[in-house]
Amino acid sequence: MNFSLRSIFVIIALFRLNSQCEKIDLYIGGFYPIDNVGWNGSGLIPATQMAIDDINSRSDILPNHRLNLIIGNTKALTNLGVKVLFDFIHLPPTKIMLLGCGFARVTSAVAGVAKYYNLMQTTFSSESILLSDKTKYPNLFRTCFSNSAWSLPQVLLAKHFNWTKVATIARRSDVYDASMERLLSDLYQANIEVLASEGFIAGTNFKRQIENLKAKDARIIIGHFQEEDALEVFCQAYRHGMYGFGYAWIVPGFLSPTFWNNAVNVQHVNCTPQEIAIAANY
């Protein structure tokens, strides 16, 4: 009888210990741009999982809890990003926060809606200066700098090489209009003449804009655009001979090392990957 009672106490103690070791699962909704033309964010998924595994392996961060990542593919599209958000909200399991998106335009759409559901969101690569507006995006936090920070190093680069005349070309959108406005102001303050400031609509032909830059004899060209835009920009640069000795293109550092290989997937780009590579990789 004594032995039986002792056994029961041992079983109860083991049950309590097991209950205390049982971890509570927490779920994060992740937005990733996969299967899209241009920058593909699929490589961010294993990096995110490594961070989650690191947290889960530690006892000093979220003890008795286990983080889990739920992956949503936005394909870099704003409407699909919002659909993924609603799927995260309405489909189990419950998500405690959001991670992403890769592109500022998708982040803007998602964060603008997520605030009404009191969801916290952290983004790792959305650089738009507009996302700094806490009245519009109160629950959005970034681990990357704003693209307004591009301006100062670009101006300092021009001054370092004693370039007194530059030109700009940028995608027309709220995101890039704001960053370009900041750059033009800083160039003016630095007494650097802007020969031309060209803008284009994504997905169109940029022939006219490149012809205008050439007519102005622009040699130092600062570009603010996405990777898919770079295909057409450097296609037209190749067609108009605006590359090689005597030209300097200053473009975003997030362009893939061989972005020109995506030219075969873009209908309006009438250059081969090899031709774009000649202009962009001189």
Side-chain angles (χ1 to χ4, degrees), residues 6 38 75-76 95 121 141 147 150 165 214 223 234 269:
R6 192 174 299 166
K75 298 185 178 181
K95 289 61 171 195
Q121 182 178 354
F141 301 88
N147 59 13
W150 294 356
K165 298 179 181 181
K214 187 167 186 177
F234 285 105
V269 176

Side-chain angles (χ1 to χ4, degrees), residues 51-120:
I52 288 176
D53 292 343
D54 185 45
I55 292 172
N56 288 339
S57 67
R58 298 177 58 167
S59 59
D60 59 328
I61 303 177
L62 293 176
N64 302 323
H65 293 79
R66 179 171 47 238
L67 293 178
N68 299 271
L69 177 66
I70 308 296
I71 299 168
N73 181 10
T74 68
K75 298 185 178 181
L77 300 173
T78 55
N79 53 355
L80 187 54
V82 174
K83 179 188 180 300
V84 171
L85 171 64
F86 284 126
D87 287 343
F88 282 160
I89 292 171
H90 296 296
L91 299 178
T94 299
K95 289 61 171 195
I96 61 167
M97 68 168 291
L98 307 174
L99 180 65
C101 312
F103 287 81
R105 59 181 180 269
V106 186
T107 300
S108 175
V110 170
V113 176
K115 67 180 180 181
Y116 295 109
Y117 294 87
N118 202 30
L119 278 168
M120 306 297 290

Side-chain angles (χ1 to χ4, degrees), residues 16-239:
R16 287 180 176 173
L17 181 63
N18 183 62
S19 298
Q20 290 173 355
C21 294
E22 191 82 22
K23 291 193 173 184
I24 300 171
D25 284 303
L26 303 175
Y27 296 90
I28 299 172
F31 298 79
Y32 296 91
I34 309 171
D35 305 326
N36 55 288
V37 175
W39 176 61
N40 188 307
S42 57
L44 293 166
I45 296 174
T48 306
Q49 192 59 55
M50 287 173 63
I52 288 176
D53 292 343
D54 185 45
I55 292 172
N56 288 339
S57 67
R58 298 177 58 167
S59 59
D60 59 328
I61 303 177
L62 293 176
N64 302 323
H65 293 79
R66 179 171 47 238
L67 293 178
N68 299 271
L69 177 66
I70 308 296
I71 299 168
N73 181 10
T74 68
K75 298 185 178 181
L77 300 173
T78 55
N79 53 355
L80 187 54
V82 174
K83 179 188 180 300
V84 171
L85 171 64
F86 284 126
D87 287 343
F88 282 160
I89 292 171
H90 296 296
L91 299 178
T94 299
K95 289 61 171 195
I96 61 167
M97 68 168 291
L98 307 174
L99 180 65
C101 312
F103 287 81
R105 59 181 180 269
V106 186
T107 300
S108 175
V110 170
V113 176
K115 67 180 180 181
Y116 295 109
Y117 294 87
N118 202 30
L119 278 168
M120 306 297 290
Q121 182 178 354
T122 299
T123 180
F124 37 75
S125 63
S126 298
E127 300 172 339
S128 170
I129 188 175
L130 301 177
L131 295 175
S132 300
D133 187 345
K134 281 299 180 182
T135 60
K136 290 185 178 180
Y137 311 107
N139 297 338
L140 178 66
F141 301 88
R142 292 190 282 190
T143 58
C144 60
F145 54 77
S146 166
N147 59 13
S148 63
W150 294 356
S151 177
L152 180 58
Q154 289 170 343
V155 171
L156 291 176
L157 182 65
K159 292 178 73 68
H160 175 77
F161 288 105
N162 295 317
W163 294 334
T164 58
K165 298 179 181 181
V166 302
T168 67
I169 183 168
R171 172 190 278 220
R172 294 303 311 271
S173 70
D174 291 344
V175 173
Y176 287 102
D177 287 351
S179 68
M180 186 53 62
E181 182 180 352
R182 174 68 176 271
L183 174 62
L184 293 175
S185 174
D186 288 348
L187 288 169
Y188 175 79
Q189 294 294 329
N191 294 317
I192 297 174
E193 181 183 354
V194 178
L195 297 173
S197 183
E198 296 294 327
F200 58 80
I201 304 299
T204 61
N205 182 283
F206 307 162
K207 179 181 178 181
R208 179 184 60 80
Q209 288 85 345
I210 298 299
E211 286 178 342
N212 289 344
L213 293 178
K214 187 167 186 177
K216 296 287 187 177
D217 195 29
R219 299 289 177 152
I220 313 300
I221 304 154
I222 303 174
H224 286 194
F225 41 71
Q226 293 288 344
E227 186 164 300
E228 57 266 35
D229 306 324
L231 297 170
E232 176 64 8
V233 168
F234 285 105
C235 173
Q236 292 299 332
Y238 174 82
R239 296 290 186 208

